[in-house]
Amino acid sequence: SQELEQSPQSLIVQEGKNLTINCTSSKTLYGLYWYKQKYGEGLIFLMMLQKGGEEKSHEKITAKLDEKKQQSSLHITASQPSHAGIYLCGADAGGTSYGKLTFGQGTILTVHP
Amino acid sequence: DAGVIQSPRHEVTEMGQEVTLRCKPISGHDYLFWYRQTMMRGLELLIYFNNNVPIDDSGMPEDRFSAKMPNASFSTLKIQPSEPRDSAVYFCASSLGPRGQPQHFGDGTRLSIL
């Protein structure tokens, strides 16, 4: 089965700093989804990547999928307290496992004002 | 537009009782997913439906768990009898398609079994 490893497990930064969260897969990624979760709430969809080398941005968040499609990174520029939360990557296992997403364990981001 | 709606938001009950969690997917979404989130195991897929039909229930932990989708706008996840180890946050999600479409999550049901 596919496993996703996120690093770091937790991150504490000062407001205004840049940061990067990584998501590494044991198998080729056929689709990679980034979500943000606040405590006590559901997951909010951020971005989806499907092609090797693909990069997408929304406001100050940029996500990339490497050419080999086994690693993705999420980069936040000039972090703000509103960016705080748990970031999870989810991956499509491919093949006949339509719709099944495997999730990483999450990265807890704290942003100090 | 209304998102995925789950009820109840919190449930506290005693061991052995039946628990029913409810979900209303986003209108027009053909896929519905049930997940469980715990500190130890993270977010795990339990079962998912396509057009109200269960497609993969390999994540359902045991026979005490059952899920139904009687129509396109309603699904239930039932635990009978409940055990303390079932305590977790249960999420429902829906999507337009199985691949290349993001899953949209509800706010979850926080379940505590005493």
Side-chain angles (χ1 to χ4, degrees):
Chain A
S1 62
Q2 184 165 47
E3 293 185 0
L4 293 178
E5 184 170 338
Q6 286 186 235
S7 63
Q9 290 188 336
S10 63
L11 194 53
I12 301 173
V13 300
Q14 202 70 29
E15 181 177 1
K17 295 295 186 183
N18 302 336
L19 64 104
T20 299
I21 298 169
N22 293 303
C23 176
T24 302
S25 171
S26 57
K27 297 182 179 181
T28 300
L29 297 166
Y30 287 89
L32 191 287
Y33 301 77
W34 282 101
Y35 287 86
K36 179 186 175 184
Q37 182 180 24
K38 291 202 168 185
Y39 181 77
E41 298 179 13
L43 281 68
I44 304 299
F45 170 71
L46 296 175
M47 276 174 276
M48 173 180 69
L49 304 165
Q50 292 185 286
K51 300 177 183 177
E54 187 174 10
E55 179 176 321
K56 288 186 177 179
S57 294
H58 178 67
E59 297 181 343
K60 295 184 178 180
I61 301 176
T62 300
K64 300 178 185 179
L65 182 61
D66 75 343
E67 287 290 344
K68 294 183 179 179
K69 296 173 65 175
Q70 285 195 276
Q71 185 170 38
S72 178
S73 61
L74 186 80
H75 184 78
I76 299 177
T77 303
S79 58
Q80 300 171 349
S82 61
H83 288 127
I86 303 170
Y87 289 81
L88 295 105
C89 61
D92 181 339
T96 57
S97 302
Y98 287 97
K100 293 184 72 169
L101 293 186
T102 301
F103 283 87
Q105 77 276 25
T107 295
I108 302 171
L109 173 62
T110 303
V111 181
H112 286 309
Chain B
D1 289 342
V4 175
I5 300 172
Q6 292 187 245
S7 64
R9 288 296 313 277
H10 303 275
E11 176 87 14
V12 180
T13 191
E14 293 190 345
M15 176 178 169
Q17 296 297 308
E18 178 179 290
V19 173
T20 299
L21 311 181
R22 298 172 176 80
C23 175
K24 177 179 170 56
I26 294 172
S27 178
H29 283 195
D30 293 332
Y31 284 78
L32 183 139
F33 306 83
W34 281 102
Y35 289 89
R36 178 172 67 176
Q37 186 178 42
T38 62
M39 289 293 292
M40 289 297 294
R41 300 175 67 89
L43 191 63
E44 302 174 286
L45 177 66
L46 300 177
I47 184 171
Y48 76 97
F49 296 82
N50 174 214
N51 289 325
N52 314 337
V53 176
I55 302 301
D56 189 330
D57 65 354
S58 59
M60 296 286 262
E62 47 196 278
D63 292 345
R64 297 184 298 105
F65 286 69
S66 63
K68 294 182 180 180
M69 193 165 184
N71 58 62
S73 59
F74 183 67
S75 177
T76 60
L77 179 67
K78 188 172 293 187
I79 308 173
Q80 167 64 20
S82 58
E83 297 183 4
R85 59 192 168 125
D86 302 331
S87 297
V89 182
Y90 291 81
F91 288 104
C92 176
S94 69
S95 72
L96 282 170
R99 185 159 282 165
Q101 297 287 343
Q103 295 179 19
H104 297 274
F105 284 73
D107 285 336
T109 295
R110 184 171 296 274
L111 177 64
S112 297
I113 309 297
L114 306 177

